[in-house]
Amino acid sequence: MNGAASEQKRTWTTGTAPGIFPILGHAISLYRRPLAFLNSLPAHGDLVEIRLGPQRAWMVCHPELAHEVLMDPHTFDKGGPLYDRLGNLMGDGLVTCRQSAHRDKRRLLQPAFRPSHAAAYTELVAEEAESVCEGWQAGRAGQAGWAVPVTEAAMTLTTRVISRVLFSGSLDDTASAQVRDCLADVVRGLFVRTVVPVDALFRLPAPANRRYRRALARLHAVIDTVIAERRRGPARDDVLGSLLAASGDDGATVLGDQEIHDHLITLLLTGAETSALSLAAAFSLLARHPEAEQRLHAELDAVLPGGRRPGPGDLPDLVRTRCVVSETLRHSSPGWLFTRVTTRETELAGRRLPAGATVLYSPYLLHHDPSSFPDPERFDPDRWLPGRPTAGQRRAMMPFSAGNRKCLGDEFAMVEVTVALATIAGRVRLRHLPGYVARTPRPAITLGPRSLVMACEARPRMPSGESRPVRRPATATPCSPEPRTAGDHVVDNA
């Protein structure tokens, strides 16, 4: 008998989440205790109906259903409350555009984020991370345990890195700080507008609404200023230069200022906030798991003796470092909730969904499913050592999304966080301040430690001549999941 024919077709279960409030739906639960609410949903089915305000929506609670949605973008297109709100910020950029426009936009931007550029990005990230360490250590010789703003520094680092990739450093320190602060206000405002999609509430002259609109206006102004200055100046070899020079077959310019603006603000938001939160979360988790921290330090002392700056040739040897990043993305993925909208009537998990239905999936929910990841609350970078992850775990791990809308900069993000972590952890040790208590992060469009402050102390440096030989595993496959069928990161941004 044919083996495939003998397999029984999986029977999916569906249900409705309890606790629906009039008008608000499940918004109170999503806002006050978002992670607990998500973790409660699989008990009600593989596909669970919830309410976003008064609107019906369906949450995918099984990785195979998530892949069914993500691998069919023509039926489950970008859309729903999240992307409707993101459109106010990003316009018709790569994140928010419909599937029909996606291919041309991705083809335009893809060259800047090819893996072959990893060498140049490694040097850039290491330089900026080194600058963070120098700023922390300035005037602190002989001191131990001084307080440093980890999230703020990580956000500064990633904002400077992505601005150099996009604009060749057109943003000075003042503009970078302004962008960093505006992004923080915007992502908080976007979340509440997603879970309570009632526009009238956000037209009220409340302080939070004014703060959100002000931050949005400032971000747009910064991007417009950069574009105008570059049109007047010489050409540069960066993303903005490529967009300004883009032309059709007839040689005519194909991109107007608004489309260029949409691309830049999309890449700025997705390239700064999520990587910064991943880096901050990694340091917080390492401080709470000293054995994992010790193994990381041992690798860094062997691969980067004397706290030297990592280079492109060191990346294959930073096996445990990359595993720390992968486990951080599983345990504390900044990209935690995304929406799709059906373009036609369809069936999912045996349930008929009408055209225009909102479908959600959550990397956090999938990454914390004990059927995929035993003891999911435990931070264990060894899960991702070569040969350890099962095929099911690789498939369930999708912080970079999956399919042809998978994150454009997935490998860029992995290199960025890995190199930044290696550079900083090779030079300093970060510990939680006395009295620290781990709390559920404040909900926003992304999730992570937004105001983390830690105690910093210099690590003793091993002289270069005393470095230990590096023993790479015989099957040194990447710790992160496979490229197209699963995801690697925090942002569903392509």
Side-chain angles (χ1 to χ4, degrees), residues 352-364:
R352 297 301 299 178
L353 301 181
T358 296
V359 177
L360 301 93
Y361 78 97
S362 168
Y364 179 90

Side-chain angles (χ1 to χ4, degrees), residues 24-48:
L24 296 177
H26 290 106
I28 295 176
S29 296
L30 266 172
Y31 188 79
R32 287 184 175 174
R33 48 186 191 89
L35 306 187
F37 176 72
L38 289 178
N39 284 336
S40 73
L41 296 180
H44 304 289
D46 299 311
L47 182 69
V48 179

Side-chain angles (χ1 to χ4, degrees), residues 92-401:
D92 194 33
L94 192 64
V95 166
T96 52
C97 72
R98 299 299 187 185
Q99 181 64 20
S100 58
H102 170 256
R103 184 177 181 181
D104 289 342
K105 293 179 186 291
R106 189 177 183 104
R107 184 180 293 167
L108 184 66
L109 296 169
Q110 187 73 65
F113 296 95
R114 286 175 178 155
S116 59
H117 291 179
Y121 294 149
T122 299
E123 300 290 349
L124 189 162
V125 174
E127 178 185 328
E128 292 294 346
E130 196 173 62
S131 177
V132 167
C133 292
E134 291 170 352
W136 284 348
Q137 294 177 299
R140 298 287 184 174
Q143 297 185 35
W146 64 93
V148 294
V150 176
T151 306
E152 180 181 313
M155 191 68 184
T156 298
L157 187 162
T158 57
T159 300
R160 287 187 58 81
V161 167
I162 194 62
S163 68
R164 289 175 65 178
V165 171
L166 298 180
F167 321 124
S168 295
S170 297
L171 298 184
D172 58 23
D173 289 344
T174 300
S176 292
Q178 185 180 48
V179 167
R180 178 197 66 207
D181 295 340
C182 288
L183 287 176
D185 288 333
V186 166
V187 296
R188 280 194 291 268
L190 281 172
F191 174 67
V192 69
R193 285 162 173 77
T194 298
V195 298
V196 189
V198 182
D199 290 340
L201 294 175
F202 306 110
R203 289 194 289 267
L204 299 175
N209 289 341
R210 290 198 298 268
R211 186 164 55 248
Y212 173 79
R213 288 192 290 267
R214 186 165 56 245
L216 208 58
R218 286 175 178 171
L219 273 180
H220 287 307
V222 168
I223 299 299
D224 286 338
T225 298
V226 170
I227 294 172
E229 290 176 349
R230 287 289 294 276
R231 282 205 182 278
R232 296 192 296 266
R236 297 189 193 179
D237 184 18
D238 55 19
V239 173
L240 177 54
S242 298
L243 294 175
L244 290 171
S247 60
D249 295 336
D250 58 358
T253 300
V254 296
L255 298 181
D257 282 0
Q258 186 58 54
E259 188 170 358
I260 293 174
H261 175 110
D262 293 346
H263 284 311
L264 293 178
I265 205 162
T266 293
L267 295 172
L268 185 62
L269 174 63
T270 57
E273 235 258 337
T274 52
S275 293
L277 291 178
S278 297
L279 184 60
F283 281 116
S284 179
L285 288 164
L286 287 167
R288 305 198 312 260
H289 298 82
E291 291 184 1
E293 182 187 50
Q294 289 167 10
R295 288 192 287 269
L296 171 68
H297 287 164
E299 175 176 89
L300 297 178
D301 290 342
V303 178
L304 306 171
R308 73 170 172 82
R309 182 188 296 182
D314 297 311
L315 291 176
D317 292 322
L318 295 174
V319 175
R320 285 195 177 275
T321 311
R322 190 173 176 103
C323 289
V324 168
V325 175
S326 292
E327 179 66 353
T328 300
L329 297 178
R330 184 203 66 80
H331 185 280
S332 303
S333 181
W336 64 289
L337 186 65
F338 300 104
T339 60
R340 293 292 190 269
V341 65
T342 56
T343 59
R344 58 180 176 83
E345 183 180 345
T346 189
E347 182 176 297
L348 183 64
R351 179 72 177 263
R352 297 301 299 178
L353 301 181
T358 296
V359 177
L360 301 93
Y361 78 97
S362 168
Y364 179 90
L365 185 156
L366 299 173
H367 297 171
H368 286 256
D369 183 350
S371 64
S372 295
F373 300 99
D375 196 5
E377 301 305 319
R378 180 167 58 93
F379 177 71
D380 181 14
D382 286 1
R383 294 181 201 267
W384 303 104
L385 285 172
R388 292 277 186 90
T390 66
Q393 288 173 331
R394 288 182 178 277
R395 195 162 173 81
M397 176 75 167
M398 56 178 72
F400 283 118
S401 188

Side-chain angles (χ1 to χ4, degrees), residues 34-78:
L35 306 187
F37 176 72
L38 289 178
N39 284 336
S40 73
L41 296 180
H44 304 289
D46 299 311
L47 182 69
V48 179
E49 184 177 336
I50 66 172
R51 294 287 196 278
L52 298 177
Q55 298 178 10
R56 301 171 72 193
W58 286 265
M59 177 72 74
V60 169
C61 298
H62 192 284
E64 290 307 314
L65 287 179
H67 277 277
E68 185 175 337
V69 169
L70 296 174
M71 301 303 285
D72 185 7
H74 294 285
T75 300
F76 301 95
D77 204 350
K78 286 290 184 79

